[in-house]
Amino acid sequence: MLSRYQQLEQFLFQPLSIAPLVFFRVFFGVMMLYHLYSMTVDHWIHFFYVLPDFHFTYPGFGWVKPWPGEGMYFHVALMCVAATGITLGCCFRLLSLLFFLGYTHLFLIEKALYQNHCYLICLLSGILFLLPANRACSVDAYFRWVKPSTQVPAWTLWLLRLQLGIPYFYGGLAKLNYDWLNSQPLKLWLARRENIPFIGELLSSEWSPFAFAYLGTLFDLLIVPALMWRRTRWIAYALALSFHLTNSILWEIGIFPWFMIGATLLFFPSDLFRRWMRFPEVTADEAIAIPQAAVWRKLQVACLLAFCAWQLILPFRHFLYPGDVSWTEEGHHFAWHMMLREKDVGIRFYVVDPATGTRGLVKVSDFLNERQISRMGKDPDMVIEFVHHVRDHYRKHLGKDLQIYVLNIAALNGRKPQLLMDPTVDYCAVQRSWLPQPWIVPLEEPLRAEGWSAPLDQWEHILDLDVPPMMRPAQLSTASP
């Protein structure tokens, strides 16, 4: 009898057709070319990477910077070359590694641009570099730069399936929260889609947000098992197709729906791809073109298990922080929390010269672009990073250390607004940290049946906020430092 490890190894290294990998390689390369083209024609490179003097970064990755001058344009052009090489299977290992490093570099430069599908692209491009997807239907195989083969070990396909299944399942788990199950923020969003032809009136009905919330949760939790079971596979894919097309119509989420429509096909049996692409049948006694040394196999298995454990555990890290993750944002990123919150924010930065008592307001638009401003106030960590940037700016130009206090009022999923950050703290002296931050004010406002509708410029007059005297208009000097 085989041990459990031997059974696992036997499962991971059983031969499968290379056809699904070839399909994914070509599909991924084409989608990335379109993605990069869209970024270029929409002037993302100039507006988000070249023009800003300041970029929000992820803790620990502040050293990742954009290239100077025209460097970012060359960076994206090189990534287009890499995506073309991936599609054609030309210099596949080198160019897939180049694309992985290049896209991850873009991803890490600007935290204000975080989207779950961009994180997924980083992961999938890194996985693609490890796969022998260029051993058939590729320039590399044609010129015998690699040994051609129509078979690959099973772990290559299952690793892709796992990485594609995680956003579905963990997105469903994240929806099992009080706000979502009470149809928020869907109720707010769908009400704004009432002008969509044919279905607008339907979307604004009372039952529509609950239907979207509960059916969406069930879809995310059950779609992967349904795709894996032969009897429900075609029905499940039809539902996935409808789900992603609906998302594309209702929400502005880039290439994600279209990418997932194609990538989800990998849950179909490899033999279906083999017949469709007219590859030869897989024979169990035929040798697979991979190293067979026992030590090498054990190392592969260990790396696979470590990567899978990281991907399965990391999304739960928000449980290490107190409070609602949609409010505090601590542990929100890299956890597949998709479309769970609408957070309206009113934020001001008060600068105080402790030596003279001079006070003033920071003109945020002098430092940030529109996207950065819209994202910054929702995430306390980004607020701290911005305060540090302003602190260093004044230190450089005025030659003195100033104090910066923040009035950050936020409304989560239609709740009445409240303080998000302690206004009495000098945030110049607060350091960024992975640890829970005590200056984040706990969420106390209850969920409302109807969303808060008062205009932002009236919040301070309506709300009874306990703020320091320096933040009261009568006490504030009109002269900015």
Side-chain angles (χ1 to χ4, degrees):
M1 294 180 62
L2 298 176
S3 67
R4 290 185 178 180
Y5 173 79
Q6 290 172 323
Q7 292 175 3
L8 175 63
E9 186 179 283
Q10 188 179 69
F11 169 76
L12 292 175
F13 288 93
Q14 65 176 317
L16 293 180
S17 173
I18 197 175
L21 267 61
V22 172
F23 161 78
F24 184 75
R25 186 199 78 214
V26 175
F27 172 75
F28 182 87
V30 171
M31 288 299 296
M32 292 305 101
L33 282 171
Y34 174 75
H35 183 40
L36 294 171
Y37 167 78
S38 299
M39 292 172 62
T40 304
V41 298
D42 291 341
H43 305 291
W44 271 52
I45 308 304
H46 176 74
F47 190 70
F48 294 118
Y49 295 105
V50 177
L51 194 59
D53 295 322
F54 168 75
H55 296 275
F56 289 104
T57 63
Y58 299 91
F61 291 94
W63 52 273
V64 181
K65 303 291 184 182
W67 303 111
E70 302 292 313
M72 292 308 299
Y73 296 109
F74 291 109
H75 181 100
V76 174
L78 194 58
M79 287 178 61
C80 289
V81 172
T84 303
I86 290 172
T87 306
L88 300 176
C90 179
C91 302
F92 175 74
R93 296 287 189 185
L94 173 63
L95 293 182
S96 58
L97 176 62
L98 184 65
F99 184 89
F100 165 66
L101 295 176
Y103 196 88
T104 304
H105 181 240
L106 282 180
F107 177 79
L108 293 175
I109 287 174
E110 182 56 75
K111 186 180 180 182
L113 296 177
Y114 177 87
Q115 290 179 309
N116 283 282
H117 69 263
C118 295
Y119 174 49
L120 180 63
I121 290 171
C122 290
L123 295 172
L124 289 173
S125 61
I127 291 173
L128 197 61
F129 162 70
L130 303 173
L131 305 183
N134 61 330
R135 292 186 178 274
C137 298
S138 68
V139 173
D140 290 347
Y142 180 81
F143 288 105
R144 300 280 172 166
W145 295 339
V146 297
K147 185 177 180 180
S149 175
T150 59
Q151 300 187 45
V152 290
W155 68 261
T156 57
L157 179 57
W158 282 103
L159 185 59
L160 285 173
R161 286 173 172 170
L162 174 69
Q163 191 58 74
L164 291 168
I166 284 175
Y168 279 126
F169 185 71
Y170 279 80
L173 288 180
K175 289 180 173 65
L176 298 176
N177 68 74
Y178 182 80
D179 285 19
W180 183 267
L181 297 179
N182 280 277
S183 78
Q184 290 289 20
L186 275 174
K187 183 183 293 185
L188 301 173
W189 295 339
L190 292 177
R192 299 169 191 161
R193 301 298 192 273
E194 60 183 1
N195 294 326
I196 295 180
F198 306 112
I199 62 172
E201 185 176 349
L202 184 66
L203 296 177
S204 60
S205 64
E206 284 190 21
W207 58 267
S208 183
F210 287 94
F212 272 81
Y214 283 83
L215 292 177
T217 303
L218 289 174
F219 172 84
D220 284 342
L221 293 174
L222 300 178
I223 188 62
V224 173
L227 286 167
M228 299 302 299
W229 191 25
R230 178 179 58 85
R231 294 184 178 182
T232 57
R233 184 174 292 126
W234 284 103
I235 297 175
Y237 187 75
L239 291 173
L241 182 62
S242 301
F243 175 82
H244 290 302
L245 289 176
T246 301
N247 282 341
S248 179
I249 294 171
L250 293 179
W251 325 118
E252 297 178 2
I253 47 179
I255 67 165
F256 183 62
W258 306 102
F259 181 84
M260 292 304 289
I261 286 173
T264 302
L265 289 170
L266 287 182
F267 288 97
F268 282 81
S270 62
D271 201 51
L272 188 67
F273 286 91
R274 181 194 65 76
R275 294 195 301 269
W276 172 52
M277 300 174 70
R278 299 184 179 181
F279 277 38
E281 291 188 19
V282 175
T283 55
D285 56 345
E286 184 177 341
I288 303 176
I290 59 172
Q292 299 295 314
V295 175
W296 176 248
R297 280 197 173 191
K298 286 182 171 57
L299 180 61
Q300 285 180 297
V301 173
C303 291
L304 285 171
L305 293 177
F307 177 81
C308 293
W310 167 47
Q311 284 300 300
L312 294 173
I313 294 173
L314 183 67
F316 291 118
R317 77 186 191 283
H318 67 274
F319 288 113
L320 300 176
Y321 298 95
D324 188 326
V325 60
S326 294
W327 177 252
T328 68
E329 303 285 331
E330 294 182 302
H332 169 79
H333 294 97
F334 317 112
W336 312 111
H337 289 187
M338 295 176 278
M339 302 185 68
L340 296 180
R341 75 210 193 288
E342 174 168 294
K343 193 183 291 183
D344 297 320
V345 175
I347 188 168
R348 289 191 190 132
F349 297 85
Y350 296 81
V351 183
V352 178
D353 185 344
T356 64
T358 305
R359 305 173 186 181
L361 288 171
V362 176
K363 189 176 181 182
V364 179
S365 58
D366 287 345
F367 297 92
L368 305 178
N369 60 37
E370 293 179 4
R371 176 66 174 240
Q372 291 174 320
I373 293 173
S374 68
R375 291 295 183 93
M376 180 260 296
K378 303 174 184 179
D379 188 340
D381 175 71
M382 295 173 70
V383 174
I384 294 299
E385 188 174 16
F386 175 66
V387 167
H388 290 179
H389 174 68
V390 175
R391 174 198 64 189
D392 296 341
H393 171 82
Y394 284 134
R395 181 182 293 165
K396 176 180 178 181
H397 289 85
L398 298 180
K400 61 174 66 175
D401 288 324
L402 303 177
Q403 298 172 342
I404 299 179
Y405 299 86
V406 179
L407 179 62
N408 191 354
I409 309 171
L412 176 65
N413 292 340
R415 288 175 171 84
K416 181 180 177 181
Q418 68 160 75
L419 290 171
L420 175 59
M421 302 171 62
D422 186 346
T424 66
V425 174
D426 172 17
Y427 288 99
C428 290
V430 173
Q431 298 301 317
R432 299 178 73 192
S433 173
W434 290 101
L435 298 176
Q437 298 300 312
W439 40 263
I440 298 178
V441 178
L443 179 63
E444 297 176 349
E445 290 294 335
L447 194 65
R448 300 164 61 93
E450 298 297 331
W452 178 267
S453 58
L456 179 62
D457 58 2
Q458 298 180 16
W459 282 12
E460 285 185 272
H461 302 291
I462 297 174
L463 302 176
D464 183 20
L465 298 175
D466 183 18
V467 297
M470 71 185 70
M471 295 184 177
R472 297 169 187 167
Q475 302 292 329
L476 184 64
S477 170
T478 57
S480 298

